[in-house]
Amino acid sequence: MDSRPTNSELEILNVLWRIGPCSVRDVFEELNKTRTTGYTTVLKLMQIMAEKGLVTRNEQNRAHIYAAQRSESDTQRSLLDDFVDRAFGGSAHRLALHVLGSKKSSEEELAEIRQLLERLEEKS
Amino acid sequence: MDSRPTNSELEILNVLWRIGPCSVRDVFEELNKTRTTGYTTVLKLMQIMAEKGLVTRNEQNRAHIYAAQRSESDTQRSLLDDFVDRAFGGSAHRLALHVLGSKKSSEEELAEIRQLLERLEEKS
DNA sequence: TCCATTATACGAAGAGTTTCGTATAATGGA
DNA sequence: TCCATTATACGAAACTCTTCGTATAATGGA
């Protein structure tokens, strides 16, 4: 019931999060800016997502309006939990080290992380 | 050729990384500590993984000995890249913030991260 | 009104993943 | 030596994911 989005579903969710509730056509056009895909493919996926409860659907108008059911950060948290378990044996801090060590971060980003660290250390 | 491990494959790799090169039976028993799965299921998966090059296989003895082809941290790096793109729109630092914010870290772990941060800040 | 356009609905193909049954071969103890 | 045990090999079923063709219905402009 609490099904995790597949890769394609996540791609669609990303559009919904970015541009807000919209029609299949809107998502279709958005996706086709970066890759080629068929209209009915997107439609089918979004219908399935509605069945799964990943999106809600307003059927007032002819072109139904879809919206993401869960927030981006909620979803990310779930995916992250899964991922940490699967790929990092549950060790979140090892994942953090990997991220910080292998990806370039800007000064601002580093500052933000340092700030968060300080808050965490205060609490303990 | 550089195929990413599936979930089941990753589960097997985790065993190989943890206990080192071993037989199908060893992996089978290890997996069955936490969940139920059939022997031939594990065997088949590991045969496929050998074909894909995810593991190497020593056929000297009757019970072949399998070993992970790529290191744990190498594999994690690849998976991480994928994951960051898919789930966090490519923003590694947002992922890091998520990890640090939502998962409890020990003092030692925080210290380790702070150290890494300092090294990163020196370099810039 | 008629028709081109554009929706949704639906089924099914094709690929990949996971599972397991069965066949067959090696091994070693009674 | 025989046989129970335990390997590998292999094929195929069951599922999921992704894609798309086709049917059908609504809409609106000429």
Side-chain angles (χ1 to χ4, degrees), chain A residues 32-61:
Chain A
N32 273 274
K33 284 180 180 170
T34 51
R35 67 186 194 89
T36 309
T37 184
Y39 177 83
T40 55
T41 301
V42 179
L43 170 66
K44 180 70 167 186
L45 279 171
M46 292 176 76
Q47 286 172 338
I48 292 172
M49 290 169 77
E51 276 174 25
K52 290 186 185 175
L54 288 172
V55 297
T56 57
R57 178 162 75 163
N58 181 334
E59 305 183 0
Q60 284 295 109
N61 303 307

Side-chain angles (χ1 to χ4, degrees), chain A residues 95-104, chain B residues 77 80-81 92 116 120:
Chain A
L95 170 55
L97 286 174
H98 247 282
V99 173
L100 295 175
S102 69
K103 295 291 207 167
K104 282 210 202 324
Chain B
R77 195 177 307 276
L80 187 56
D81 285 348
L116 175 59
L120 289 174

Side-chain angles (χ1 to χ4, degrees), chain A residues 22-30 39 46:
Chain A
C22 62
S23 67
V24 172
R25 173 135 324 256
D26 292 332
V27 172
F28 165 73
E29 277 167 5
E30 207 52 31
Y39 177 83
M46 292 176 76

Side-chain angles (χ1 to χ4, degrees), chain B residues 34-64:
Chain B
T34 52
R35 70 186 193 89
T36 309
T37 186
Y39 177 82
T40 54
T41 302
V42 179
L43 170 67
K44 180 69 165 187
L45 279 171
M46 292 176 76
Q47 285 171 341
I48 292 172
M49 290 169 77
E51 275 175 23
K52 290 185 183 176
L54 288 172
V55 296
T56 57
R57 179 161 75 163
N58 181 335
E59 305 183 0
Q60 284 295 107
N61 304 307
R62 183 156 94 98
H64 302 169

